Amino acid sequence: MRLTIFGSRFLTLTSSRGVTLACALGCAIPTVTGAQGSAVPAAPPTLTSTPTAPPSTPVAPPAKSDAGASEFKEIKWEALVPKDWDPTKRFKSMNLGMLDDRDPRVVKAMREMRETFDNAPTIGELDGASIKLPGYVVPLEEVKGELKEFLLVPYFGACIHTPPPPANQIVHVTVTKPLKGLRSMDTVWVSGVLKTARQDSSMGTSGYRMTTVVLERYLANERR
């Protein structure tokens, strides 16, 4: 068992069998390697390339409202996390490094961390805010190639290659019109009205919900 803490905003707990829970709260985290073996930045909005090849079918955006995308405030993932919330606090005093995976203390620590992540607090002041947020797509419901809802996550592999991040780092997105051409781990900008609403899904527990008004692909080499 290995407990690694980077400051107060990023924590991983890894068993010797490779079971890992990672907490990356809107901060810069190490580059990871994508399926094609290429280096992929791990956390928007500092993305400089798209982690997956563009799909052959263009993304069909939902109908836009009369109000343009300019009315949505661009935010970073760290804005979704209460400043005084420290998920690492209860684990800093644990001496787990030399324990076997079968040790009850290890099992308890993994369970408590998962509960901490799934019950991560959100920011009530953001309820009803019109925001624009970049992230990676984790498909939830797809019918005949049309994506109706997905999770938006801040770093590559979340919910797919690694366990889900904290609930306040997952946004459950529903679209006003089914989409074609989006694949798992594609990068997008999502603009819409954010709601604080906790919801369980097969891919993780989200602390926020958003219905898209504008959906845009995150372009390669885009600088902001």
Side-chain angles (χ1 to χ4, degrees):
M1 171 62 62
R2 182 174 72 257
L3 177 66
T4 307
I5 298 175
F6 301 93
S8 63
R9 309 295 280 181
F10 179 49
L11 171 148
T12 63
L13 183 60
T14 307
S15 73
S16 61
R17 290 176 292 186
V19 178
T20 302
L21 290 177
C23 177
L25 305 178
C27 56
I29 61 177
T31 297
V32 298
T33 301
Q36 304 300 320
S38 58
V40 180
T46 56
L47 285 168
T48 57
S49 62
T50 304
T52 54
S56 56
T57 304
V59 174
K64 297 183 180 181
S65 66
D66 292 336
S70 61
E71 291 197 6
F72 298 99
K73 180 181 179 181
E74 182 180 320
I75 67 170
K76 296 182 179 181
W77 283 91
E78 61 189 8
L80 302 179
V81 183
K83 294 184 183 301
D84 60 349
W85 184 64
D86 181 4
T88 71
K89 185 176 181 179
R90 64 190 301 180
F91 303 103
K92 288 178 180 178
S93 62
M94 294 183 179
N95 185 19
L96 301 173
M98 303 301 294
L99 299 180
D100 185 270
D101 289 0
R102 293 167 295 182
D103 191 296
R105 288 169 291 181
V106 171
V107 175
K108 181 181 179 182
M110 294 291 281
R111 183 176 63 250
E112 288 181 351
M113 184 178 289
R114 184 68 266 162
E115 291 174 352
T116 298
F117 285 9
D118 289 345
N119 291 287
T122 55
I123 298 181
E125 290 81 358
L126 289 176
D127 191 73
S130 297
I131 63 104
K132 180 178 182 180
L133 182 69
Y136 290 86
V137 171
V138 178
L140 287 181
E141 183 178 351
E142 187 174 356
V143 180
K144 296 181 179 180
E146 295 185 334
L147 188 63
K148 298 176 65 176
E149 59 181 299
F150 60 89
L151 300 182
L152 191 71
V153 295
Y155 56 90
F156 185 85
C159 303
I160 300 293
H161 303 300
T162 66
N168 56 24
Q169 293 285 275
I170 303 178
V171 180
H172 188 149
V173 178
T174 57
V175 296
T176 53
K177 181 180 179 181
L179 306 178
K180 291 184 178 180
L182 280 181
R183 301 183 302 182
S184 178
M185 291 294 115
D186 276 352
T187 47
V188 294
W189 286 98
V190 176
S191 301
V193 177
L194 192 69
K195 294 290 184 180
T196 54
R198 197 171 306 274
Q199 183 170 336
D200 294 329
S201 74
S202 59
M203 303 304 291
T205 300
S206 54
Y208 295 95
R209 184 181 71 240
M210 185 159 60
T211 299
T212 60
V213 174
V214 181
L215 180 66
E216 307 165 88
R217 183 171 294 282
Y218 196 110
L219 301 178
N221 301 317
E222 183 173 17
R223 299 283 186 178
R224 288 192 176 258

